[in-house]
Amino acid sequence: MQTSTIHPPAPRRAQPTAAATSAWTVQRIEHLLALPLPELLWQAQQVHRQHFDPTEVQLSSLLSIKTGGCPEDCGYCPQSAHYDAGVDADKLMDAEQVLEHARAARDAGASRFCMGAAWREPKDRDLDKLASIIDGVKQLGLQTCMTLGMLKPQQAQRLADAGLDYYNHNLDTSPQFYGSIISTRTYQDRLDTLQAVRDAGMRVCCGGIVGLGESRRDRAALLAQLAALDPQPESVPINSLVRVAGTPLEHAPEVDPFEFVRSVAAARICMPRAWVRLSAGRKELGDGVQALCFLAGANSIFYGDTLLVTGNADVEADRQLFERLGLHAGPLGTHP
Ligand code: SAM
Ligand code: DTB
Ligand code: SF4
């Protein structure tokens, strides 16, 4: 299997520590977020260039392998059974069908295949099938990532033993604002899952969402939590809220796109070695704002015409954007 040249094998030590004990305090990150934009981007670019080729962008493709009917009440999510966003509930997809999607993603140039399930947590009886999916996707030469909800330590170990490279589990927002978005699982539940993922030896993909109605201080507090994870996440998805009709956040106030750029830059500065991924909402951000995000240190995208259930930026539009900006896909796979 090909391996990333940037990250050494995932460390087994894992202590999600309180943000208060990290060098990246909320106050310090708030200060970063308030810098004049040219100053913030300059700092982010310097950090980015110490660890990465600034013209290289990692491509991850997403597939919903179990859609809809989720018992959780995340206020942004079209897959929650608590809201009617017109998403039908489906069963876990057959392995063969998953592999067809993975093959197409690989052929289009993706290096990582991320599979999402609208579960509170996986059931033990699903783990054999998930393991065979992981094995099949890896045999295609792709890195694997799954996001299946909360994990118990033995479930995390089973996925790690099956060869899962990354587990995505987001903190989503600050500890203070979290309770106004989600009531069915706690912040600590999320930290416990991240700990289980680390203890099992997998790489951590953990980020959040901009645009939930949070303040700049909440964005700083989210980044402080992420930066305080020890070790820091290898992959940090920054989502811009996709406001889906039928969800409680359908009418969330629009955020100034430069605030999104600032969050990306601050993520880059306080997590220098992470793949900072432009995730949901790229289409709505448009080419100019995305270009600023790449200048702010973003170096990964979700690539492919759909996210989980909503639309993503078109593959053809991404090809053209990369061409216009002089970016290329890497470190695995080739530019489409
Ligand atoms: N059910 C699993 C879980 O939540 O743990 C995995 C899938 S869930 C869809 C993964 C992440 O997608 C969420 O934590 C959230 O950050 C992001 N997300 C979901 N809906 C979104 C939306 N409408 N806009 C932006 N990000 C969204
Ligand atoms: C992440 O941080 N964003 C992705 C992935 N991890 C699983 C999901 C975005 C979902 C956007 C709305 C949807 O299509 O369901
Ligand atoms: Fe369920 Fe995940 Fe959506 Fe929350 S974000 S409702 S856990 S699918």
Side-chain angles (χ1 to χ4, degrees):
M1 192 204 80
Q2 294 166 295
T3 50
S4 160
T5 51
I6 304 285
H7 291 298
R12 299 187 71 86
R13 184 172 60 94
Q15 292 298 328
T17 52
T21 63
S22 156
W24 287 108
T25 59
V26 178
Q27 201 182 17
R28 214 173 144 207
I29 298 174
E30 246 189 317
H31 177 73
L32 278 182
L33 291 173
L35 285 171
L37 195 62
E39 181 59 38
L40 178 58
L41 293 195
W42 170 236
Q43 288 193 26
Q45 288 187 3
Q46 290 181 86
V47 172
H48 191 191
R49 282 161 187 265
Q50 280 168 26
H51 302 286
F52 292 99
D53 170 353
T55 64
E56 186 172 84
V57 178
Q58 189 273 333
L59 306 183
S60 289
S61 286
L62 253 184
L63 176 69
S64 178
I65 60 171
K66 193 276 157 204
T67 303
C70 183
E72 304 294 283
D73 69 352
C74 312
Y76 47 74
C77 186
Q79 301 200 70
S80 167
H82 296 257
Y83 321 122
D84 184 7
V87 175
D88 292 332
D90 223 336
K91 289 214 270 293
L92 180 59
M93 199 181 263
D94 284 337
E96 228 359 271
Q97 218 184 328
V98 177
L99 295 186
E100 257 174 54
H101 286 275
R103 215 171 281 120
R106 181 200 58 186
D107 293 348
S111 60
R112 190 177 311 158
F113 195 60
C114 304
M115 295 158 272
W119 282 326
R120 174 173 168 79
E121 61 211 334
K123 300 222 164 35
D124 287 342
R125 64 165 185 263
D126 293 317
L127 290 174
D128 283 346
K129 187 162 163 185
L130 292 168
S132 79
I133 289 173
I134 292 164
D135 186 49
V137 173
K138 282 178 81 87
Q139 283 188 32
L140 295 172
L142 286 160
Q143 292 186 335
T144 49
C145 178
M146 283 185 170
T147 179
L148 313 169
M150 297 188 288
L151 293 182
K152 296 190 208 63
Q154 64 274 25
Q155 293 179 319
Q157 195 58 61
R158 177 83 179 85
L159 294 171
D161 292 347
L164 188 62
D165 298 302
Y166 286 81
Y167 195 79
N168 168 240
H169 198 63
N170 290 341
L171 290 176
D172 278 346
T173 189
S174 69
Q176 296 74 21
F177 191 64
Y178 181 88
S180 52
I181 303 295
I182 298 143
S183 78
T184 48
R185 67 165 72 133
T186 66
Y187 215 78
Q188 188 59 48
D189 287 335
R190 292 186 185 241
L191 291 169
D192 291 347
T193 290
L194 293 169
Q195 177 81 56
V197 169
R198 271 296 181 216
D199 286 345
M202 287 183 281
R203 291 177 181 148
V204 168
C205 172
C206 184
I209 309 180
V210 171
L212 301 172
E214 77 287 345
S215 63
R216 185 182 266 181
R217 188 175 178 81
D218 289 312
R219 291 192 277 280
L222 165 66
L223 292 174
Q225 288 287 328
L226 296 172
L229 295 174
D230 181 16
Q232 293 188 335
E234 284 81 2
S235 170
V236 178
I238 310 284
N239 296 276
S240 170
L241 176 71
V242 178
R243 290 175 292 177
V244 183
T247 64
L249 289 171
E250 166 178 7
H251 301 297
E254 244 178 80
V255 176
D256 179 352
F258 297 130
E259 278 299 309
F260 186 83
V261 177
R262 285 174 184 281
S263 298
V264 168
R268 165 55 63 220
I269 293 167
C270 63
M271 291 171 279
R273 291 174 181 275
W275 296 96
V276 175
R277 179 173 312 114
L278 301 185
S279 302
R282 261 190 326 114
K283 188 155 73 168
E284 294 76 7
L285 291 176
D287 290 349
V289 176
Q290 286 189 71
L292 276 176
C293 289
F294 293 125
L295 294 177
N299 62 350
S300 173
I301 59 170
F302 277 127
Y303 171 72
D305 292 336
T306 49
L307 290 163
L308 291 174
V309 299
T310 66
N312 192 20
D314 299 340
V315 162
E316 188 47 41
D318 283 342
R319 285 185 180 147
Q320 287 178 20
L321 185 61
F322 274 39
E323 179 98 26
R324 288 160 66 206
L325 301 180
L327 301 176
H328 63 273
L332 304 178
T334 50
H335 180 54

